[in-house]
């Protein structure tokens, strides 16, 4: 549990598991199965440096499943999914140390990719992290509300190409928002 706390999974998603993901369609069941298999076979994916992309509509559960992957990997494989860094003046560590901390974990989950218009610095920082992990053959899970065709604009072609290498797994969450549906019941 201490390792899980160190993984920096936000409180809203700390309790998200494969067991409490509501799969009410064939597509949702397929996404759940693929994410569960990725987590359960993490040693194989880590050895291959295989990444996973959870892409699609808002409210479809991609962050839920990404959090479930991270929690499973931390609990079952002892891997730390460190996911917070700051490059500001008030940061507790240098830019080089921040990159080091983001490149080193056995698994890194990056959520909300493309949620805002990125600056050149942010796109370069993401490239440095993704490329550093690529060079070390370490898997990364990218979560985004962008569709596959939109991802290169947010990450750049080089990043997307690296994430797809060696059998990178891309899942498209193209169904309606669960939050919107739950609000209308």
């Amino acid at each position: 549990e201490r390792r899980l706390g160190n993984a920096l999974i936000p409180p809203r998603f700390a309790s998200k598991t494969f067991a409490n993901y509501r799969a009410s369609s064939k597509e949702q069941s397929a996404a759940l199965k693929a994410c569960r298999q990725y987590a359960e076979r993490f040693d194989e994916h880590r050895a291959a440096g295989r990444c996973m992309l959870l892409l699609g509509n808002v409210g479809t559960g991609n962050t839920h499943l990404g959090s479930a992957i991270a929690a499973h990997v931390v609990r079952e494989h002892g891997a730390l999914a460190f996911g917070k860094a700051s490059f500001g003046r008030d940061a507790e560590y240098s830019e080089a140390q921040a990159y080091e901390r983001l490149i080193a974990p056995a698994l890194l989950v990056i959520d909300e990719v493309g949620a805002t218009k990125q600056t050149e610095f942010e796109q370069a920082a993401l490239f440095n992290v993704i490329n550093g992990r690529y060079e070390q053959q370490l898997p990364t899970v990218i979560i985004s509300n962008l569709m596959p065709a939109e991802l290169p604009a947010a990450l750049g072609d080089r990043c997307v190409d690296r994430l797809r290498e060696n059998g990178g797994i891309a899942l498209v969450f193209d169904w309606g928002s669960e939050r919107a549906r739950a609000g209308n019941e």
Side-chain angles (χ1 to χ4, degrees), residues 33-72:
K33 180 179 179 182
C35 290
R36 185 188 305 266
Q37 286 178 343
Y38 185 87
E40 289 173 351
R41 296 171 47 198
F42 181 70
D43 286 336
E44 173 188 325
H45 296 299
R46 177 173 37 189
R50 189 169 299 115
C51 298
M52 182 173 244
L53 307 170
L54 307 179
L55 310 173
N57 296 333
V58 172
T60 55
N62 50 3
T63 299
H64 180 132
L65 289 175
S67 299
I69 291 169
H72 181 90

Side-chain angles (χ1 to χ4, degrees), residues 92-151:
E92 296 175 16
Y93 37 81
S94 70
E95 184 175 328
Q97 289 171 317
Y99 282 128
E100 217 173 89
R101 289 180 179 182
L102 290 168
I103 292 169
L107 176 66
L108 178 67
V109 178
I110 305 174
D111 194 5
E112 298 293 351
V113 170
T116 61
K117 183 169 173 36
Q118 292 179 327
T119 65
E120 284 183 35
F121 173 79
E122 290 169 330
Q123 196 166 28
L126 268 173
F127 174 78
N128 287 333
V129 170
I130 291 169
N131 187 60
R133 296 184 59 74
Y134 168 80
E135 289 175 352
Q136 298 301 315
Q137 292 186 289
L138 293 168
T140 303
V141 173
I142 298 291
I143 304 169
S144 177
N145 293 128
L146 299 174
M147 289 296 178
E150 300 169 306
L151 196 60

